[in-house]
């Protein structure tokens, strides 16, 4: 049922005609400058009226916070009950270095932890691997064994703070380390909370941190979801992520559609492989999106995401538990919108993006530091980024009312438009046989590559302005202080790794790895075996080598 | 008149980082400008890149690294090319590279470094002016 009476719609139409006349007159003096569209290329009208959302039904499309279809948020009380979690993605050098940064951020008012691992850790290599040369501790913290993890979490109360870990192919291993570290703190598994990213489909599509082929990768994910469902009930066993696809160049619609299509693939796999009821595990699925520069498009995307996932869970998967219908998400401001040129402007960009995430109802937020275009952030830059969130939460009043842009003709129309476009992609992927089949055909990869190239063309030809890059260019750049990871990190890390290997019970390690291999070869859940190997101080790579040997390695087909 | 041979370009993602948006856009830019392009995909070792450059008989190698490991990885590619007598191949690079590292890379034989935000036309113009067929 429409939200507007025939009389209102009639008036809106007549008013629109009068407005067009006015607009024509002023267009003589001020002709419209360019084609107006969102950063993703969706056309934007000059003025929106009830006419644009006349087919929307208030209860069905908008409704109330905490109620189906959750367009306005999952929590009935919004940020009035609980402000989003200030969760700064952070990791550098050794476990000691990162532990120090974590304590600093918590002292400054951060409310949740988020771990950035270095590339060898992300890819399942130890710090002494030939593949790790010059990469140890550079883009995040280096973790080889439980010994590192115990240092990483030293003094962090794992029953009180939740931790997100951006880890994908070796997610099971790092999660096992977290669980054993918690145990050693005397915290039982039912008390620990956090998230592992553990989303491999978007890795094949965009972020390219991959190890084994898609099929066994999905199996490992379903193993972790099953294990979490049974033994770690407060853990989000996956963070289905659009962020990396967006950063690779996807449009807002592609980001949304491909993320939800990935989500569908995971849910189907767990149901098929583990024979679990959808309501048993769906409440612990979480999501992760980008907040890009186009303010209203992003807000509309977040609102559409919640509404679409609620429909998918309720209608497609017949979930009955309202918690299964929730799309809870973390947001990171757009790394790809930061500029190398005039980097202090990045503080402004991040603030606007963060505001979009907040108005879109994010549960958790990372704000980029202005210097992240150069290196990992300095403490100074990371503190400004954290303060940005605190200013939004505590000074601006934007949290006072829930989903404040609901009812805006424009925002509601854009929400509908993004949803409609995203459904088209999901239908197409369904027709292709689901996301795994679509990835095998290179479909999402190509769509994103095309969008990225088109965007670059627009910037190069100045159709799209990037301040300081293609307009308002500075004659001379002001240098900024950059964080450097000391070369000692690699040496220190390798030294500790050797020490652990020397002092552990190597027979026990070999035995746990043999048992893990057997589990991988069969259909048993690998998690208990990974935990035993971790407990025996097996290294990350020793465990991942078992995966690689049993499941094989994936090679980038190199689409461009 | 003898027709000029198309220049062959190898675009390579070195190291463990998968941030390939820039590399793929540059590959496409070269292709659209009429070059023959080979793109390696991500996670290449310096040895794999040097081998591919020689096997594919390219005139130009474009290296990409966003993980901070560029000093080691870029220089290692140049060293391996020289070791195999392929120092006629021009090597350029791009990615997240601090200003102060650029002289070190150039000294090692990387001819030019293109930073984030560089228009494709600038890279193409540089190539036209500086790269001769290596064969």
């Amino acid at each position: 049922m429409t939200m507007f009476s025939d009389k209102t719609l009639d008036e809106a139409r007549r008013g629109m005609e009068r407005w067009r006349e006015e607009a024509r007159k002023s267009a003589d003096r001020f002709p419209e400058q360019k084609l107006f569209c969102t950063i993703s290329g969706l056309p934007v009208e000059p003025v929106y009226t009830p006419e644009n959302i006349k087919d929307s039904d208030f209860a069905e499309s908008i409704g109330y916070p905490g109620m189906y279809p959750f367009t306005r948020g999952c929590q009935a009380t919004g940020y009035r009950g609980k402000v989003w979690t200030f969760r700064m993605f952070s990791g550098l050098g050794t476990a000691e270095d990162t532990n120090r940064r974590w304590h600093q951020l918590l002292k400054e008012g951060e409310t949740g932890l988020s771990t950035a691992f270095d590339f060898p850790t992300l890819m399942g290599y130890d710090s002494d691997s030939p593949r790790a040369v010059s990469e140890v501790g550079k883009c995040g913290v280096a973790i080889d064994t439980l010994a590192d993890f115990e240092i990483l979490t030293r003094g962090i109360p794992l029953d009180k703070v939740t931790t997100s870990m951006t880890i994908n192919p070796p997610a099971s291993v790092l999660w096992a380390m977290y669980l054993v570290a918690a145990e050693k703190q005397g915290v039982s598994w039912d008390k620990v909370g956090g998230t592992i990213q553990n989303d491999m489909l978007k890795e094949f599509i965009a972020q390219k941190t991959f190890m084994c082929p898609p099929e066994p990768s999905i199996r490992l994910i379903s193993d972790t979801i099953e294990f979490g469902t049974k033994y770690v009930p407060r853990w989000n066993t996956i963070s289905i992520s659009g962020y990396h696809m967006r950063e690779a160049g996807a449009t807002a619609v592609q980001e949304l559609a491909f993320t939800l299509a990935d989500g569908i693939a995971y849910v189907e796999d767990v149901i098929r492989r583990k024979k679990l009821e959808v309501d048993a595990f769906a409440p612990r699925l979480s999501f992760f999106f980008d907040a890009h520069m186009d303010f209203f498009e992003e807000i509309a995307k977040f609102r559409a995401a919640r509404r679409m996932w609620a429909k998918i869970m309720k209608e497609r998967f017949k979930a009955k538990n309202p918690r299964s219908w929730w799309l809870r998400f973390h947001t990171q401001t757009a790394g790809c919108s930061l500029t190398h040129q005039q980097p202090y402007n990045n503080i402004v960009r991040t603030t606007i993006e963060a505001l979009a995430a907040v108005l879109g109802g994010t549960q958790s937020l990372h704000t980029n530091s202005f210097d992240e275009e150069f290196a990992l952030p300095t403490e100074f830059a990371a503190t400004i980024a954290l303060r940005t969130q605190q200013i939004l939460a505590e000074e601006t009043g934007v949290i006072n009312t829930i989903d404040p842009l609901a009812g805006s003709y424009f925002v509601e129309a854009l929400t509908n438009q993004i949803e409609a476009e995203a459904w088209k992609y999901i239908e197409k992927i369904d027709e292709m046989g689901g996301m795994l089949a679509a990835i095998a055909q290179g479909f999402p990869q190509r769509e994103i590559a095309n969008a990225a190239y088109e965007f670059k063309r627009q910037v190069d030809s100045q159709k799209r302005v990037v301040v300081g890059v293609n307009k308002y260019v500075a004659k001379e750049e002001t240098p900024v202080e950059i964080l450097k990871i000391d070369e000692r990190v690699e040496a220190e890390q390798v030294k500790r790794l050797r020490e652990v290997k020397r002092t552990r019970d190597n027979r026990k390690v070999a035995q746990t790895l043999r048992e893990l291999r057997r589990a991988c070869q069969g259909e048993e859940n690998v998690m208990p075996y990974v935990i035993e190997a971790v407990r025996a101080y097996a290294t990350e790579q020793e465990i991942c080598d078992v995966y690689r040997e049993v499941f094989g390695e994936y090679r980038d087909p190199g689409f461009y | 008149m003898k027709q000029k041979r198309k220049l062959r370009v190898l675009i390579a993602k070195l190291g463990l980082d998968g941030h390939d948006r820039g590399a793929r856009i540059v590959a496409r830019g070269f292709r659209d400008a009429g070059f023959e392009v080979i793109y390696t995909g991500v996670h290449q070792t310096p040895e794999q890149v040097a081998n591919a450059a020689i096997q594919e008989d390219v005139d130009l190698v474009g290296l990409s690294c966003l993980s901070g490991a560029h000093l080691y990885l870029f220089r290692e590619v140049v060293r391996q090319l020289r070791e195999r007598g392929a120092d006629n191949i021009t090597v350029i690079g791009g990615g997240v590279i601090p200003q102060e590292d650029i002289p070190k890379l150039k000294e090692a034989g990387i001819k030019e470094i293109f930073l984030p935000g560089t228009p494709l036309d600038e890279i193409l113009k540089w190539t036209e002016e500086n790269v001769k067929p290596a064969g």
Side-chain angles (χ1 to χ4, degrees):
Chain A
M1 205 178 75
T2 175
M3 293 184 282
F4 308 102
S5 65
D6 287 346
K7 181 164 165 281
T8 305
L9 287 171
D10 243 21
E11 280 170 6
R13 277 174 212 132
R14 272 184 279 116
M16 201 60 187
E17 277 160 33
R18 288 197 301 277
W19 172 80
R20 282 214 180 84
E21 194 48 46
E22 284 300 313
R24 257 195 298 277
K25 275 189 251 162
S26 48
D28 292 341
R29 280 171 54 222
F30 304 111
E32 286 200 356
Q33 300 293 315
K34 55 172 186 173
L35 182 69
F36 289 89
C37 62
T38 68
I39 205 165
S40 299
L42 295 174
V44 177
E45 301 291 326
V47 168
Y48 287 77
T49 71
E51 175 74 13
N52 296 92
I53 53 168
K54 66 174 174 6
D55 298 327
S56 289
D57 175 270
F58 176 77
E60 264 177 34
S61 323
I62 303 173
Y64 294 88
M67 290 165 71
Y68 189 87
F70 305 100
T71 313
R72 311 191 65 179
C74 299
Q75 301 291 347
T77 52
Y79 298 136
R80 294 168 71 107
K82 184 178 181 296
V83 170
W84 68 90
T85 306
F86 308 153
R87 195 185 288 288
M88 303 298 284
F89 186 44
S90 178
L92 68 163
T94 60
E96 286 90 346
D97 297 330
T98 300
N99 179 265
R100 206 172 303 127
R101 175 69 67 91
W102 281 9
H103 279 286
Q104 172 68 15
L105 282 164
L106 287 169
K107 195 180 105 217
E108 295 297 342
E110 178 180 55
T111 51
L113 294 169
S114 173
T115 326
F117 295 105
D118 70 356
F119 272 107
T121 308
L122 292 171
M123 292 289 293
Y125 294 113
D126 285 344
S127 298
D128 62 351
S129 158
R131 298 247 35 187
V133 175
S134 200
E135 309 243 30
V136 177
K138 283 263 170 69
C139 273
V141 59
I143 299 290
D144 295 316
T145 68
L146 178 62
D148 300 321
F149 216 93
E150 289 169 284
I151 296 166
L152 181 69
T153 52
R154 199 180 274 163
I156 308 279
L158 299 183
D159 53 343
K160 296 198 176 66
V161 181
T162 60
T163 308
S164 167
M165 292 194 281
T166 297
I167 190 78
N168 292 284
S172 53
V173 186
L174 276 296
W175 190 32
M177 288 185 189
Y178 196 94
L179 294 176
V180 178
E183 210 176 74
K184 291 197 168 198
Q185 274 193 11
V187 177
S188 60
W189 291 351
D190 59 345
K191 299 230 163 41
V192 297
T195 306
I196 40 176
Q197 196 164 77
N198 202 23
D199 166 9
M200 282 309 298
L201 292 175
K202 63 91 172 61
E203 296 296 338
F204 297 113
I205 298 171
Q207 188 169 243
K208 315 285 167 75
T209 308
F210 35 58
M211 192 163 81
C212 303
E215 170 59 28
S217 298
I218 299 265
R219 177 251 167 117
L220 290 177
I221 292 166
S222 288
D223 278 2
T224 48
I225 292 177
E226 182 188 43
F227 188 84
T229 303
K230 289 185 178 158
Y231 305 108
V232 201
R234 289 180 57 211
W235 199 275
N236 302 312
T237 38
I238 190 166
S239 170
I240 306 160
S241 305
Y243 183 83
H244 320 83
M245 298 190 272
R246 192 70 186 280
E247 291 290 299
T251 63
V253 169
Q254 288 167 350
E255 179 194 2
L256 173 58
F258 297 162
T259 305
L260 300 186
D262 287 350
I264 291 169
Y266 293 126
V267 171
E268 284 174 349
D269 194 77
V270 175
I271 293 173
R272 185 177 57 80
R273 202 186 294 266
K274 302 295 183 186
K275 317 275 181 274
L276 285 177
E277 288 287 328
V278 66
D279 284 318
F281 66 93
R284 295 319 298 181
L285 303 174
S286 66
F287 290 81
F288 173 24
F289 292 107
D290 199 293
H292 214 294
M293 277 307 286
D294 194 308
F295 189 67
F296 293 108
E297 181 173 61
E298 293 304 272
I299 295 166
K301 177 187 77 184
F302 299 130
R303 300 176 81 247
R306 274 191 299 266
R307 189 160 72 199
M308 290 176 77
W309 187 248
K311 286 183 197 167
I312 290 168
M313 292 315 289
K314 189 165 180 233
E315 290 166 18
R316 183 173 181 142
F317 291 110
K318 314 287 179 222
K320 292 184 185 66
N321 180 354
R323 290 230 166 184
S324 302
W325 305 336
W326 286 6
L327 179 141
R328 296 171 299 128
F329 67 101
H330 172 70
T331 306
Q332 177 166 343
T333 55
C336 66
S337 74
L338 303 183
T339 65
H340 203 83
Q341 298 79 1
Q342 304 175 38
Y344 291 106
N345 296 342
N346 293 333
I347 300 175
V348 182
R349 292 191 175 94
T350 296
T351 306
I352 293 164
E353 293 165 348
L355 179 57
V358 168
L359 295 179
T362 194
Q363 267 71 49
S364 162
L365 180 62
H366 166 91
T367 30
N368 290 323
S369 301
F370 68 86
D371 58 352
E372 286 191 70
E373 182 60 33
F374 300 93
L376 295 184
T378 61
E379 198 170 293
F380 172 73
T383 307
I384 293 178
L386 173 60
R387 294 285 181 261
T388 305
Q389 296 197 37
Q390 292 161 335
I391 290 167
L392 284 175
E394 299 182 36
E395 290 188 21
T396 64
V398 295
I399 66 164
N400 291 350
T401 191
I402 306 162
D403 190 27
L405 292 174
S408 149
Y409 308 127
F410 173 43
V411 172
E412 294 298 353
L414 196 55
T415 305
N416 295 346
Q417 193 179 356
I418 287 177
E419 175 173 351
E421 293 296 319
W423 284 127
K424 283 187 208 160
Y425 266 124
I426 291 176
E427 277 160 27
K428 189 166 168 99
I429 291 163
D430 280 341
E431 279 164 22
M432 296 173 94
M435 199 38 135
L436 275 158
I439 290 171
Q441 291 168 50
F443 172 69
Q445 297 95 311
R446 285 210 177 82
E447 288 292 300
I448 294 172
N450 290 342
Y453 194 58
E454 172 60 25
F455 186 80
K456 174 69 176 159
R457 283 293 186 200
Q458 287 177 7
V459 172
D460 279 4
S461 64
Q462 294 182 316
K463 275 190 199 135
R464 191 162 287 288
V465 171
V466 182
V467 170
V469 174
N470 64 4
K471 204 174 179 184
Y472 315 111
V473 176
K475 279 207 186 70
E476 233 174 283
E477 289 289 338
T478 319
V480 294
E481 193 199 329
I482 296 172
L483 180 89
K484 280 224 175 325
I485 301 300
D486 204 304
E487 294 300 328
R488 77 170 160 82
V489 165
E490 193 165 321
E492 266 179 35
Q493 191 58 31
V494 170
K495 194 172 147 222
R496 178 151 67 219
L497 175 60
R498 297 219 168 115
E499 186 61 19
V500 170
K501 281 188 180 173
R502 201 178 58 76
T503 50
R504 67 186 187 181
D505 180 348
N506 278 309
R507 271 205 317 224
K508 175 86 181 150
V509 171
Q511 185 202 333
T512 59
L513 292 175
R514 265 197 309 277
E515 282 164 10
L516 172 63
R517 183 184 306 269
R518 256 201 307 278
C520 288
Q521 285 161 340
E523 285 181 0
E524 231 180 318
N525 194 313
V526 298
M527 270 315 289
Y529 299 95
V530 178
I531 289 169
E532 284 317 304
V534 159
R535 216 194 289 279
Y537 291 87
T539 71
E540 190 209 19
Q541 182 168 348
E542 286 168 337
I543 296 169
C544 289
D545 281 346
V546 173
Y547 289 159
R548 278 185 273 253
E549 282 159 30
V550 177
F551 300 131
E553 285 186 67
Y554 181 79
R555 299 259 169 252
D556 182 10
F559 294 114
Y560 72 92
Chain B
M1 212 172 79
K2 200 178 151 203
Q3 207 184 345
K4 224 168 92 183
R5 178 172 78 82
K6 270 188 183 177
L7 284 180
R8 287 170 68 79
V9 182
L10 180 82
I11 301 294
K13 273 296 299 173
L14 275 170
L16 299 178
D17 94 89
H19 300 101
D20 60 354
R21 178 173 179 172
R24 288 185 293 113
I25 285 176
V26 171
R28 222 158 154 162
F30 273 113
R31 187 189 67 189
D32 287 359
F35 291 78
E36 283 183 27
V37 178
I38 301 118
Y39 171 55
T40 61
V42 298
H43 305 154
Q44 299 294 300
T45 63
E47 195 184 356
Q48 287 171 321
V49 173
N51 284 343
I54 293 166
Q55 275 163 19
E56 296 284 352
D57 197 19
V58 300
D59 307 295
L60 176 68
V61 174
L63 303 174
S64 165
C65 176
L66 280 76
S67 75
H70 50 273
L71 278 179
Y72 168 71
L73 293 169
F74 285 13
R75 289 195 282 206
E76 188 58 18
V77 170
V78 174
R79 197 187 65 76
Q80 297 217 17
L81 284 173
R82 281 190 184 149
E83 208 174 78
R84 281 164 235 197
D87 41 3
N88 52 340
I89 299 174
T90 308
V91 180
I92 59 175
V96 176
I97 292 165
Q99 205 67 37
E100 59 182 89
D101 289 349
I102 296 175
K104 295 177 202 163
L105 292 168
K106 287 194 172 171
E107 203 178 300
I110 290 105
K111 286 287 179 317
E112 193 56 82
I113 294 292
F114 296 98
L115 294 176
T118 307
L120 285 171
D121 284 346
E122 201 178 307
I123 302 174
L124 294 169
K125 186 161 167 279
W126 185 93
T127 304
E128 198 178 302
E129 287 167 2
N130 294 280
V131 183
K132 305 282 170 289

